[in-house]
Amino acid sequence: MNLNKGLASLITVAVSVTCIAAGSAATDQKTETRIRELLSKMTLEEKIGQMNQLTGIGATEGRMGEIASGQVGSILNEVDPAVVNKLQKQAIKKSRLGIPLVFARDVIHGYKTIYPIPLGQAATWDDELVELGARYTAEEASSDGIRWTFSPMIDVSRDARWGRIAESFGEDPLLNGRLGAAMIRGYQSDDLSRPNTMAACTKHFACYGAAEGGVDYNTTILSPELLANVYLPPFKKAVDAGSATFMCSFNDINGIPSSGNRALLRDTLRNAWGYDGVMCSDWSSIDQMIPHGYARDLRHAALLAVNAGVDVDMESHAYPNHLKELVETGEVSMAEIDEMVANILRLKFRLGLFDNPYVNMKKASVYYTPEALAAARKAVEESAILLTNNGILPIKDNGIKVAVIGSMADDPHNQAGTWVFDFEKEKCLTPLTSLKEIYGENLTFVPAYDYSRATSKEEIPAAVEAARNADVVLAFLGEESILSGEGRCRADITLPGIQKELLRELKKTCKPIVAVIQAGRQLALTEEKELADAILYVFHGGTMAGPAIADLLTGKVNPSGHTPVSFPTMSGQEPLYYNHKSTGRPAAEDVILIDRIPVREPQFSTGVSSYLMDAGPKPLFPFGYGLSYTTFEYSDPVVSSTSIDRNGKLTVSCTVTNTGDREGSDVAQLYVRDLVGSLVRPVAELKDYRRLSLKPGESKTVTFTLTPDDLACLNANGEFRAEPGDFTVRIAPDSEQGKSVTFTLKD
Ligand code: GLC
């Protein structure tokens, strides 16, 4: 059997069964009529022109001829509103049919106002806040004429070595799906034709995050079960949220590059899920099917991409060079071309570009509104994760002497994170700026290292001296922004450069140390956990990270971030994720066995269970974890019944109490375990979550509802449905805690 053919049908059956094809925004007949009328007037060359996307960087003016002859349908990377209007006028006034261009840009976590990287936004577990940030982002970017962003990225990412984990919402399918949908709503609002919206582009379809070894662009080997249960569900949520466009991924899935994967792009996305938006290639991903060894040449790549259903060719030049001939030889039908061009025209109609194509120059370039800055600051406040705290935090006394050590305290460029093409670092407020406002002359700053990879130890003595003269040390550590993002994968995911040695030397002063770590991924922090008295972790926070971090350190804001990824004890533990399989020998105990094996011990059978002897069986910090300056207590869960049938539903409740002395927020998480399956099931699956804000002593009861659909999974017969049997359920503040209660699903 052709695995991929079988896989394709399996995917389609598996995922389609659960999904009433809600599809993208409702297609209205008036638009469809206008599309058909326009298509009937277009030449083949003009149709192919719509399928061609070219970059504007540096070549914009040079595009004037191509635009006038209808050879370009969309332009990415032009952000000057006056130039956008000039090019748009060229398309509308000079091309034969006057079809407007659409201008696109990678606006990934903010345009001018930069929000935390998506991995940081995931740590907020706050759908509404993520949506709000996307809304303000769309208002900023669209004011320069950008009406199409290549975001959200919802690739489930289980390997911290992969640099693009920074752009994802982490390791869980539900979190990626819900926050991706939130971003789509924010970008598109409820009316995409408004000029202050952007078409979302859900990416990278699909399984890009499953890159073998955490190496970018690498092959992915995935079972039908993993596809159906883990990697595809977030994308279905994006379809249901009405994502106007999708982008196919660079990688192959079981040997088929996504840019040529018909089962994925047509059979699953369009036929099973009812998607009617645009499918855009990734940058030159069509021509990359040649080095993949999947296409003989660019002509063959063009044929494969059309057959798969890639509507827009981003910078491969495959379509403009070969589609005409492929139609003339009959290898591609005009009907196929018309269907793909219809998707593109539909996007432009939905964006309102035929009626309102130009940037309103009276309202152009509107950035940094108070609302956007406030949302960006709140996003940092809610994304920061208090990993450890022996009580040193919050720093209550503003009169003490503080040593701020580490250049990451005052590094706007690196504070912003990856994918910030339009970021203005002079607008970025750093932690040092904000801390100086609080501590004034009592603050001493020593950069200690010029950049995170720096190897010079020359400034360590000065740092140690500053620590000796202070009451508390704030050690700002982390990764430069360039150490994550596309093509930025690391085998060693510890603090780079001399940072560890710096921390060791600071520890020798016996002064209390707070480590503030800013990074684009979860790092292996086993030693830092022992050396620091507290760790505040901030995934690159963007424009407003400075005041937010200062407020978190001084207690003006109570940390409430929860990890969207599992933090490893060491790099070699990757890939590492909470929703793993049990195996036949689940790790018996949480020990570092390698430290306990007697010298010259004969071969023995104890301890032979499923984990790495030197890394241990557990993460350093589990998925869903986060501390607060207060404490919370979770009651045992209460279920509405101990069994449900296929038409039933189960409610699960738990009372959460703030048992501390200050207000705080926590994230109540609902985890389920399917105890027996026809395919083995993970030890836990997140099924819902809710942020709760509680005053001291206050209790709130949180209630979640589970239906058999929530328990559905791919079974051994290739059906996507819940299997009868026993499940456990718990409500907890992270993926490892919580008392479980058992219930049964009856057939
Ligand atoms: C890049 C990325 C993709 C991005 C595109 C356009 O290579 O893979 O995420 O949207 O090219 O810049």
Side-chain angles (χ1 to χ4, degrees):
M1 173 183 84
N2 169 333
L3 176 63
N4 280 296
K5 191 165 171 36
L7 182 55
S9 56
L10 212 47
I11 299 171
T12 304
V13 167
V15 191
S16 61
V17 164
T18 59
C19 317
I20 313 302
S24 308
T27 300
D28 68 277
Q29 279 319 308
K30 181 166 168 275
T31 299
E32 293 309 307
T33 305
R34 292 178 76 181
I35 290 170
R36 296 294 157 215
E37 284 167 0
L38 196 43
L39 278 172
S40 66
K41 298 173 190 162
M42 294 171 77
T43 64
L44 173 58
E45 290 79 356
E46 288 165 335
K47 291 174 182 175
I48 294 169
Q50 287 302 309
M51 301 167 80
N52 189 27
Q53 179 177 108
L54 298 176
T55 185
I57 289 180
T60 302
E61 301 295 336
R63 297 276 180 244
M64 299 295 270
E66 291 164 314
I67 293 169
S69 56
Q71 295 174 55
V72 185
S74 50
I75 286 181
L76 73 158
N77 299 330
E78 178 48 66
V79 294
D80 178 336
V83 177
V84 165
N85 279 348
K86 180 179 176 182
L87 296 175
Q88 192 66 288
K89 189 176 176 187
Q90 182 78 349
I92 291 168
K93 303 295 184 194
K94 300 289 185 191
S95 75
R96 192 176 70 87
L97 294 169
I99 298 172
L101 299 164
V102 53
F103 292 86
R105 181 71 158 176
D106 286 286
V107 182
I108 305 301
H109 53 104
Y111 177 61
K112 295 292 183 180
T113 302
I114 301 298
Y115 297 77
I117 56 173
L119 193 58
Q121 294 189 46
T124 70
W125 297 58
D126 189 337
D127 302 34
E128 289 70 30
L129 187 56
V130 168
E131 179 176 343
L132 186 65
R135 179 85 302 271
Y136 290 135
T137 294
E139 291 183 358
E140 286 194 355
S142 61
S143 77
D144 279 347
I146 296 160
R147 297 298 311 278
W148 186 6
T149 180
F150 299 128
S151 168
M153 188 273 218
I154 57 171
D155 298 302
V156 170
S157 306
R158 294 177 150 183
D159 195 323
R161 295 171 296 180
W162 188 51
R164 303 199 77 168
I165 194 169
E167 302 168 58
S168 79
F169 293 114
E171 69 189 48
D172 181 74
L174 183 81
L175 207 51
N176 270 286
R178 275 181 47 175
L179 297 181
M183 259 193 183
I184 291 162
R185 292 192 300 270
Y187 291 141
Q188 299 186 171
S189 82
D190 54 4
D191 179 0
L192 190 55
S193 68
R194 289 197 197 110
N196 68 346
T197 64
M198 287 196 294
C201 183
T202 299
K203 69 185 187 182
H204 303 80
F205 194 56
C207 309
Y208 188 17
E212 195 172 89
V215 178
D216 207 356
Y217 316 112
N218 207 0
T219 186
T220 70
I221 313 289
L222 289 157
S223 65
E225 184 254 345
L226 269 178
L227 282 164
N229 294 349
V230 175
Y231 287 95
L232 292 181
F235 289 98
K236 181 57 180 63
K237 278 204 184 319
V239 171
D240 295 346
S243 183
T245 73
F246 264 60
M247 180 185 289
C248 58
S249 60
F250 286 124
N251 57 287
D252 73 275
I253 302 173
N254 303 328
I256 297 188
S258 298
S259 304
N261 194 329
R262 183 183 180 91
L264 190 69
L265 306 188
R266 283 191 189 277
D267 300 347
T268 302
L269 183 63
R270 293 194 187 278
N271 301 344
W273 295 354
Y275 174 68
D276 71 350
V278 166
M279 175 56 71
C280 186
S281 81
D282 201 337
W283 185 290
S284 81
S285 67
I286 294 174
D287 72 30
Q288 285 172 19
M289 285 195 276
I290 301 168
H292 262 296
Y294 195 66
R296 289 184 301 278
D297 52 31
L298 197 58
R299 183 184 187 281
H300 185 205
L303 177 59
L304 291 166
V306 165
N307 288 345
V310 181
D311 303 316
V312 175
D313 169 354
M314 181 197 291
E315 281 290 343
S316 283
H317 308 282
Y319 288 178
N321 286 316
H322 296 289
L323 262 194
K324 183 171 187 289
E325 184 211 347
L326 286 166
V327 172
E328 286 162 352
T329 60
E331 292 165 274
V332 171
S333 70
M334 186 61 87
E336 282 176 293
I337 297 290
D338 285 352
E339 178 209 337
M340 298 166 87
V341 175
N343 294 334
I344 298 164
L345 297 177
R346 187 174 303 115
L347 171 66
K348 295 182 175 182
F349 278 114
R350 281 177 173 162
L351 283 166
L353 290 172
F354 283 91
D355 304 319
N356 187 12
Y358 299 109
V359 180
N360 178 345
M361 293 307 285
K362 293 191 182 69
K363 295 181 179 176
S365 307
V366 174
Y367 321 131
Y368 307 118
T369 62
E371 296 80 6
L373 293 172
R377 182 170 182 162
K378 188 164 189 279
V380 182
E381 291 169 357
E382 289 193 9
S383 70
I385 305 164
L386 186 60
L387 293 176
T388 65
N389 183 23
N390 69 357
I392 176 71
L393 286 178
I395 305 169
K396 296 184 181 70
D397 176 1
N398 290 351
I400 59 169
K401 287 182 184 168
V402 171
V404 175
I405 309 294
S407 64
M408 288 289 287
D410 196 38
D411 188 341
H413 173 85
N414 285 308
Q415 172 177 317
T418 185
W419 286 102
V420 288
F421 290 151
D422 304 293
F423 164 64
E424 295 172 308
K425 65 181 183 180
E426 57 278 2
K427 298 287 187 183
C428 186
L429 299 174
T430 67
L432 181 67
T433 307
S434 304
L435 290 167
K436 277 181 175 172
E437 288 170 11
I438 299 168
Y439 297 104
E441 295 305 310
N442 285 336
L443 184 149
T444 305
F445 172 53
V446 177
Y449 55 88
D450 184 26
Y451 55 96
S452 71
R453 288 165 293 154
T455 55
S456 163
K457 302 177 187 177
E458 287 171 6
E459 276 207 31
I460 290 183
V464 169
E465 185 58 22
R468 283 209 179 89
N469 297 323
D471 300 312
V472 67
V473 178
L474 301 179
F476 279 80
L477 309 168
E479 283 183 318
E480 294 153 85
S481 53
I482 199 66
L483 299 184
S484 56
E486 183 171 354
R488 301 290 176 263
C489 304
R490 298 178 65 204
D492 173 1
I493 51 170
T494 60
L495 283 171
I498 53 106
Q499 298 181 67
K500 267 185 190 289
E501 185 165 344
L502 169 64
L503 197 53
R504 289 183 202 122
E505 292 308 310
L506 291 173
K507 183 66 179 175
K508 290 174 185 170
T509 67
C510 299
K511 297 287 184 170
I513 299 173
V514 176
V516 181
I517 300 176
Q518 301 172 78
R521 58 164 61 78
Q522 65 273 38
L523 296 173
L525 300 170
T526 299
E527 188 177 355
E528 291 80 356
K529 181 179 176 186
E530 300 310 317
L531 290 172
D533 297 283
I535 298 177
L536 185 70
Y537 207 88
V538 182
F539 293 104
H540 291 132
T543 304
M544 297 303 285
I549 288 172
D551 286 351
L552 287 156
L553 291 172
T554 56
K556 202 171 174 184
V557 172
N558 189 355
S560 59
H562 284 248
T563 53
V565 283
S566 305
F567 278 64
T569 59
M570 58 171 66
S571 307
Q573 243 188 350
E574 297 296 327
L576 182 69
Y577 47 94
Y578 83 95
N579 47 355
H580 59 79
K581 303 294 175 45
S582 169
T583 77
R585 290 195 175 193
E589 49 182 335
D590 187 4
V591 293
I592 303 297
L593 187 64
I594 203 163
D595 299 337
R596 298 185 172 194
I597 297 176
V599 175
R600 293 187 188 78
E601 172 81 357
Q603 183 71 24
F604 62 102
S605 60
T606 54
V608 285
S609 60
S610 178
Y611 76 111
L612 300 165
M613 290 198 298
D614 45 359
K618 290 190 175 298
L620 190 65
F621 303 106
F623 173 78
Y625 168 89
L627 298 178
S628 167
Y629 292 149
T630 186
T631 50
F632 299 98
E633 205 165 83
Y634 284 63
S635 73
D636 292 350
V638 176
V639 289
S640 54
S641 167
T642 54
S643 69
I644 57 170
D645 63 24
R646 284 202 177 281
N647 304 314
K649 63 180 180 181
L650 186 83
T651 61
V652 192
S653 300
C654 160
T655 300
V656 183
T657 303
N658 179 342
T659 50
D661 57 7
R662 64 166 292 168
E663 183 164 0
S665 295
D666 206 20
V667 179
Q669 302 153 47
L670 176 71
Y671 291 97
V672 163
R673 180 174 185 175
D674 184 350
L675 295 178
V676 177
S678 62
L679 297 174
V680 294
R681 308 285 294 115
V683 296
E685 290 178 287
L686 177 71
K687 291 298 178 185
D688 205 340
Y689 58 87
R690 193 163 311 141
R691 278 182 69 93
L692 298 171
S693 177
L694 294 164
K695 293 182 176 51
E698 183 183 11
S699 294
K700 282 181 183 172
T701 297
V702 58
T703 298
F704 296 110
T705 299
L706 282 171
T707 67
D709 275 355
D710 296 315
L711 308 175
C713 61
L714 191 72
N715 65 25
N717 301 326
E719 300 150 337
F720 195 86
R721 61 199 301 266
E723 294 189 298
D726 291 346
F727 294 76
T728 63
V729 62
R730 57 194 163 95
I731 298 174
D734 68 44
S735 56
E736 288 189 344
Q737 294 185 60
K739 186 171 174 1
S740 293
V741 172
T742 302
F743 70 93
T744 304
L745 172 65
K746 292 194 163 71
D747 224 347

